Amino acid sequence: MFHSARLTLTAWYVLIIMVICLLFSVAFYHVSTREIQRLINRMSLEQQVESSLSPRELPPRPRNAPSLEELRELKHRSLVSLILLNILLLVGSGTASYFLAGKTLQPIKNMMAEQQEFIANASHELRTPIATLRAEMEGSLLEKKISDTQARALIRSNLEELGTLQELTNALLQLAHFNVPNDKVLTEKIVIKQLVAAARKKISPLAKEKQILITTHVPNLVIHGNRQSLTTALVILLENAIKYSSSASPITISAEQTAKLVAIHITDHGIGITKTDIPHIFERFYRADKSRSQTNGYGLGLSIAKQIIAAHHGSITVSSIVGNGSTFTIQLPA
Ligand code: ADP
């Protein structure tokens, strides 16, 4: 499909270039040969008149004046040169257009490959809970009799799987939602202290469960953006900090302002991230092997956070030492 699109685009490029070149060549040929044609016409007329005169009556010919044949030859040569030039342009523009069409289509090709990979990953993640649900229900149907306790256990397990499905579809929807940059929604005045407090409140049950203390050092700073989405980004980072830390391990949130940026740091003392994983953790569905085996998740949180921060024209970075913890830093325009 990519190849045929490349050929079509090449054909369009060549067509446009050749139409312009041909129009230009016709105009150029017309203008440049007009004078020659005029001379030819005049000389033909003179020849006709001269043929009716006796040699003695003939006026003297200027010395370097071109003959009629030479003029005709000159006109013919300009036509051949222009045709050759256009053929050369056709070949040159064809090659250049093919190359340019490839370059133009490359980002689309990459995007399509990315999208296909995303669909494959999403389907893969959705398949597991659906398959479990189905297997459990089919297993129960095969039983001749189900006791009340068994039925309740089945419903509880089904609900768990449905919860997983719900979480995953919510994450996918968030990805789709924050994928569309919309500057109109980035105009709320946000006090960072309030933003951090809102995010803290949302994850406090999770922190309590693991007896994790969250300390904040946030001065009075203000940015402009979308409160709801920035809270979502902070919640994602805080959830991860809790998820990838052992019980009672402290977490710190701090913020500071430099000349043009406001930076928010979230520091944990958890498992840390290896150097090989760091470049990939913001990719969709990426999970470090250790996380895969030890915690629940889909590898979508950080890509959602990154999308939100990018929509705010900011950046998100991480520094980490395995076994010592990680610091995620969000930088936003002040
Ligand atoms: P999830 O947490 O659902 O796996 P994320 O996109 O939020 O997905 O994170 C991607 C990966 O980055 C995680 O699987 C984990 O390996 C790593 N990661 C993210 N945050 C932390 C953290 N605070 N400490 C250690 N590893 C982390």
Side-chain angles (χ1 to χ4, degrees), residues 236 240-241 243-244 268 271-273 281 286-288 291 296-303 326 328:
I236 289 169
N240 278 351
K243 204 156 80 173
Y244 299 110
D268 66 57
I271 59 171
I273 309 162
I281 57 169
Y286 186 85
R287 304 199 73 210
S291 323
N296 288 332
Y298 312 102
L300 290 176
L302 286 182
S303 42
S326 318
F328 281 83

Side-chain angles (χ1 to χ4, degrees), residues 64-197:
N64 294 326
S67 67
L68 193 58
E69 279 65 40
E70 278 173 340
L71 284 175
R72 281 191 179 129
E73 173 66 20
L74 186 65
K75 195 179 164 197
H76 178 71
R77 253 190 287 144
S78 10
L79 181 67
V80 171
S81 305
L82 272 177
I83 290 172
L84 279 177
L85 186 73
N86 273 288
I87 291 173
L88 219 76
L89 271 170
L90 180 70
V91 175
S93 66
T95 317
S97 300
Y98 186 73
F99 173 75
L100 272 178
K103 277 227 161 252
T104 313
L105 290 174
Q106 194 58 41
I108 302 170
K109 189 185 179 193
N110 293 347
M111 210 173 72
M112 279 175 67
E114 214 177 275
Q115 221 160 30
Q116 256 161 3
E117 194 189 328
F118 174 73
I119 292 169
N121 285 334
S123 322
H124 179 78
E125 293 291 338
L126 286 167
R127 214 166 42 185
T128 317
I130 291 172
T132 315
L133 266 174
R134 194 189 170 115
E136 283 176 352
M137 286 183 181
E138 279 175 350
S140 306
L141 267 184
L142 287 177
E143 304 264 334
K144 279 204 176 125
K145 248 184 172 184
I146 311 179
S147 70
D148 193 38
T149 334
Q150 278 175 316
R152 280 183 182 280
L154 174 71
I155 292 172
R156 216 170 290 127
S157 168
N158 285 354
L159 278 176
E160 250 174 54
E161 297 303 335
L162 283 175
T164 311
L165 278 174
Q166 201 170 15
E167 264 178 49
L168 188 57
T169 43
N170 282 346
L172 291 173
L173 276 176
Q174 274 184 328
L175 259 185
H177 175 69
F178 294 121
N179 204 11
V180 187
N182 187 354
D183 277 346
K184 278 191 206 137
V185 297
L186 304 178
T187 49
E188 278 176 85
K189 187 177 163 188
I190 299 169
V191 179
I192 300 284
K193 235 180 193 166
Q194 291 172 359
L195 189 76
V196 170

